Amino acid sequence: MAKRSLDPSDKKPFLGLIVHKPVFYPSLIIVILSVVLALVFREQAQSSLENAQKIVSDKTGWIYTIAVNTFIVFCLYMAFGKFGSIRIGGPQAKPEFKVYAWFAMLFSTGIGNGLVLFSIADPVRDFMNPPRLPANAPPGAIAQEAINFSFLHHGIHGWAIYSVIGLSLAYFTYNRKMPLTIRSAFYPLLGDRIYGWIGNLIDVVAVVATLFGLATTMGFGVGQINAGFTQVFGIPDNLFIQYLIILGITAIATLSVVSGVNKGIKFLSEMNVNVAVIIFILVLVLGPTAFIMKSYVQNIGSYLYHFIDLATWSGAYGTSSWHNNVTLMYWGWWASWSPFVGTFIARISRGRTIREFILGVLFLPALVTFLWFSAFGGTTMLGLMQGDFSLANAVNDNISTALYVFFEKFPFAIVLKILGMILICSFIITSADSGALVVDGITSGGDRKTPAIQRIIWASLAGLIAAALLTGGGLGTLQAAVTISGLPFAILLLLMCISLHMGIKEDLQLTEQRSKVKYDESYKAALRKLLEEENMLEEDDMEPGNNDKSPPKTINESNEREEKGGL
């Protein structure tokens, strides 16, 4: 069990801030330095990051492939093995949030605006340029494989990454009473060394990966919001407008994060899900309803049938860079998001059993995502096979406009477009505020009672990074940044699996030993009580006149005994 804590001298208030200095200052310096370099060396920033991405993908991409598949196996083992009934927070712990609120928060934080942006763009990209099938293959087969790859990139593998870190942090925080920081998950492996430089390094990597992952999401999202403004209001689509959007999102996210989890973040998360449900129902009812539901069932079947093939394919025998540019980018993006999403999910999951946690974090979000992709991506595939290439042109010209071009094919298009913009904004704001909350927790050493200014600092920095990366090269720079920043954390997650298993196993053994001791003690106590009762009976028998059954020696003695017996 953990007995030490972070050095209090490293957490003394400084300028009104309550921070863990060995994590706060290095993280701040790295982030600010990255922003400055991206702004000063604009042309070099994009080429440098893309070259680094190529090296990471070519030399170490196989690590990503092994890692994401390992996480799924580990989650299944934890959920359906002997550990599944263990409750986060102890046997008597009760959930803090109802199931709907819990799912809304974890889903909104975990999926971000990627659900809206890529549900059309990804299937279109892979239909127009199939990564594996020849261009003259049957259109139906190409469409099906395009959907299969979308399920791969946005489904179980990504949520398995979140499940590993979320479960690890939740267990060590609520069952072992350790700080809610990334280092706590490595205590069984590293022991008290987590309180030294190794633990500081782990937390710094988590903070930097989180901020770059957030910045990537904001960068993609503001482009989509700007495209919506252009479609609906005729506002120009340019960097200046996107800077203003980032500023507005950051301001609203700051208000939300200052209000805390139970107010702002919970409200926005539930609003996200409610708006998404309204949009989905409108698309389902106004669109090809029967086709959407049939394709949903078929898509899940095809995905499961080709699961192992898709999950392990790396393009080793080909010359295409598609796998490196697409699949590995997604694994890096999920990994770079995992520190803050996992920490946030851990924060709201007290009272759930491990089995409930895995079912709620791994499978349920994936099934919802598959339904959304079947409605938006599947309907788009149907149009492409019927000769309608308007969406393909939109994706090719500006990926951010795809959603709005899609809505133009439905009645009440203007309503759908406005709802789409609201959904994208709320998704990004939810990600930004929960990310700032988590980064603040890590850089404060797990302290939850920190000044609001600290959360404002991190929310603002996420927006600043997004603006800097957009200035330094746009979406290509964003994609390169997450592929690079996610790799170190993917390796840490593999170690986290080992550490969590070790920790739970140690605790179970300790519990069994305590139960045995209690059983032995209760057995000894019962035996002692029985012996004492027998001794008391023997003492009673030895008292004069008690149970004297010897035969009377005289008639007078016999009469006296009869009188005592009441005869």
Side-chain angles (χ1 to χ4, degrees):
M1 298 294 288
K3 297 180 180 179
R4 289 185 54 191
S5 60
L6 298 178
D7 189 349
S9 64
D10 290 332
K11 293 178 64 177
K12 289 181 178 179
F14 177 72
L15 297 178
L17 306 179
I18 300 175
V19 298
H20 184 51
K21 290 183 283 189
V23 175
F24 180 85
Y25 292 115
S27 301
L28 195 62
I29 291 170
I30 292 172
V31 169
I32 293 176
L33 187 61
S34 300
V35 170
V36 171
L37 290 175
L39 291 175
V40 173
F41 303 99
R42 296 185 184 184
E43 296 181 359
Q44 295 91 330
Q46 182 175 8
S47 60
S48 297
L49 283 172
E50 290 179 354
N51 288 335
Q53 178 195 22
K54 188 176 186 307
I55 294 172
V56 168
S57 301
D58 290 343
K59 304 299 182 183
T60 60
W62 58 272
I63 297 177
Y64 271 131
T65 303
I66 291 175
V68 294
N69 288 293
T70 300
F71 299 148
I72 293 177
V73 174
F74 179 77
C75 288
L76 294 175
Y77 168 74
M78 295 300 295
F80 301 107
K82 61 181 179 180
F83 302 144
S85 59
I86 295 175
R87 189 170 297 277
I88 297 170
Q92 306 304 319
K94 302 295 183 183
E96 183 179 357
F97 301 97
K98 294 181 179 179
V99 173
Y100 182 78
W102 177 63
F103 174 76
M105 285 191 284
L106 73 87
F107 185 76
S108 298
T109 302
I111 199 66
N113 63 300
L115 181 73
V116 184
L117 178 62
F118 297 113
S119 57
I120 296 172
D122 277 13
V124 167
R125 177 201 60 213
D126 298 336
F127 182 88
M128 300 305 295
N129 297 287
R132 299 198 300 182
L133 296 177
N136 59 354
I142 297 176
Q144 186 64 73
E145 180 151 285
I147 294 293
N148 288 347
F149 272 113
S150 293
F151 278 23
L152 173 72
H153 296 148
H154 300 274
I156 293 174
H157 284 83
W159 288 99
I161 295 174
Y162 292 166
S163 298
V164 167
I165 186 170
L167 180 59
S168 298
L169 293 176
Y171 183 83
F172 287 105
T173 298
Y174 293 119
N175 292 66
R176 288 205 176 189
K177 313 303 179 186
M178 299 182 72
L180 185 56
T181 60
I182 306 299
R183 70 177 74 204
S184 297
F186 294 94
Y187 188 84
L189 275 177
L190 301 176
D192 286 344
R193 284 175 292 177
I194 67 167
Y195 302 112
W197 70 268
I198 296 178
N200 295 334
L201 179 62
I202 290 172
D203 282 349
V204 169
V205 170
V207 169
V208 173
T210 293
L211 289 172
F212 275 95
L214 273 174
T216 301
T217 296
M218 292 179 73
F220 278 117
V222 296
Q224 225 180 350
I225 296 169
N226 196 169
F229 286 159
T230 303
Q231 289 268 334
V232 177
F233 305 111
I235 297 174
D237 189 347
N238 56 47
L239 272 179
F240 177 73
I241 298 298
Q242 292 175 18
Y243 292 154
L244 293 179
I245 294 171
I246 290 175
L247 183 63
I249 288 172
T250 303
I252 299 173
T254 299
L255 293 175
S256 175
V257 76
V258 168
S259 67
V261 175
N262 289 302
K263 294 181 180 179
I265 296 176
K266 179 182 176 184
F267 170 77
L268 284 172
S269 298
E270 291 182 340
M271 187 184 78
N272 291 342
V273 174
N274 292 336
V275 173
V277 168
I278 293 172
I279 293 175
F280 173 78
I281 291 174
L282 287 174
V283 170
L284 181 65
V285 172
L286 300 175
T289 307
F291 170 80
I292 291 173
M293 298 313 299
K294 285 196 301 183
S295 66
Y296 178 54
V297 176
Q298 177 176 313
N299 292 338
I300 291 178
S302 179
Y303 167 68
L304 293 176
Y305 183 80
H306 296 95
F307 183 84
I308 295 177
D309 175 42
L310 292 167
T312 56
W313 180 70
S314 60
Y317 298 107
T319 58
S320 172
S321 60
W322 185 91
H323 176 265
N324 290 353
N325 294 336
V326 180
T327 300
L328 295 186
M329 186 277 292
Y330 275 118
W331 299 158
W333 197 352
W334 285 97
S336 65
W337 259 46
S338 66
F340 100 82
V341 175
T343 304
F344 183 77
I345 293 175
R347 165 69 180 80
I348 63 175
S349 296
R350 187 177 187 274
R352 309 283 172 189
T353 65
I354 289 179
R355 185 172 295 112
E356 289 172 339
F357 182 94
I358 297 298
L359 291 175
V361 179
L362 178 64
F363 293 110
L364 187 56
L367 289 173
V368 172
T369 301
F370 294 164
L371 182 59
W372 184 279
F373 269 77
S374 294
F376 286 74
T379 301
T380 302
M381 294 295 97
L382 181 62
L384 288 171
M385 289 189 292
Q386 292 174 347
D388 182 0
F389 290 92
S390 57
L391 275 168
N393 295 330
V395 171
N396 186 59
D397 294 338
N398 183 356
I399 188 175
S400 299
T401 65
L403 179 69
Y404 306 105
V405 175
F406 176 81
F407 284 151
E408 288 175 354
K409 302 180 182 301
F410 293 82
F412 311 110
I414 188 67
V415 175
L416 287 168
K417 289 180 181 180
I418 293 174
L419 287 174
M421 283 193 293
I422 293 173
L423 182 61
I424 296 165
C425 287
S426 59
F427 265 137
I428 298 174
I429 292 168
T430 304
S431 300
D433 58 17
S434 55
L437 184 71
V438 166
V439 169
D440 178 50
I442 296 173
T443 55
S444 66
D447 199 324
R448 292 186 184 179
K449 296 180 179 179
T450 58
I453 187 64
Q454 291 181 207
R455 284 162 274 167
I456 294 173
I457 289 173
W458 294 115
S460 301
L461 278 176
L464 189 61
I465 296 171
L469 290 176
L470 283 173
T471 304
L475 299 183
T477 303
L478 294 170
Q479 292 173 327
V482 293
T483 304
I484 298 165
S485 63
L487 180 63
F489 210 81
I491 297 172
L492 288 178
L493 287 171
L494 287 170
L495 297 175
M496 196 177 287
C497 293
I498 300 172
S499 184
L500 176 60
H501 184 266
M502 289 174 59
I504 294 179
K505 191 175 180 181
E506 288 172 4
D507 291 348
L508 281 181
Q509 290 175 347
L510 184 61
T511 301
E512 290 172 358
Q513 291 174 0
R514 287 175 177 172
S515 299
K516 187 175 183 299
V517 169
K518 288 181 180 179
Y519 175 80
D520 291 343
E521 290 177 350
S522 62
Y523 175 77
K524 290 178 181 178
L527 184 61
R528 190 181 301 112
K529 184 178 180 181
L530 181 63
L531 292 173
E532 288 174 353
E533 291 175 352
E534 290 182 355
N535 290 335
M536 289 176 63
L537 289 174
E538 290 177 1
E539 290 175 0
D540 289 342
D541 290 343
M542 295 299 292
E543 291 182 6
N546 283 346
N547 300 321
D548 189 357
K549 301 299 180 181
S550 58
K553 296 179 181 178
T554 63
I555 294 176
N556 291 335
E557 185 177 349
S558 175
N559 293 335
E560 290 174 359
R561 289 190 181 184
E562 289 177 359
E563 291 176 358
K564 291 180 181 179
L567 297 174

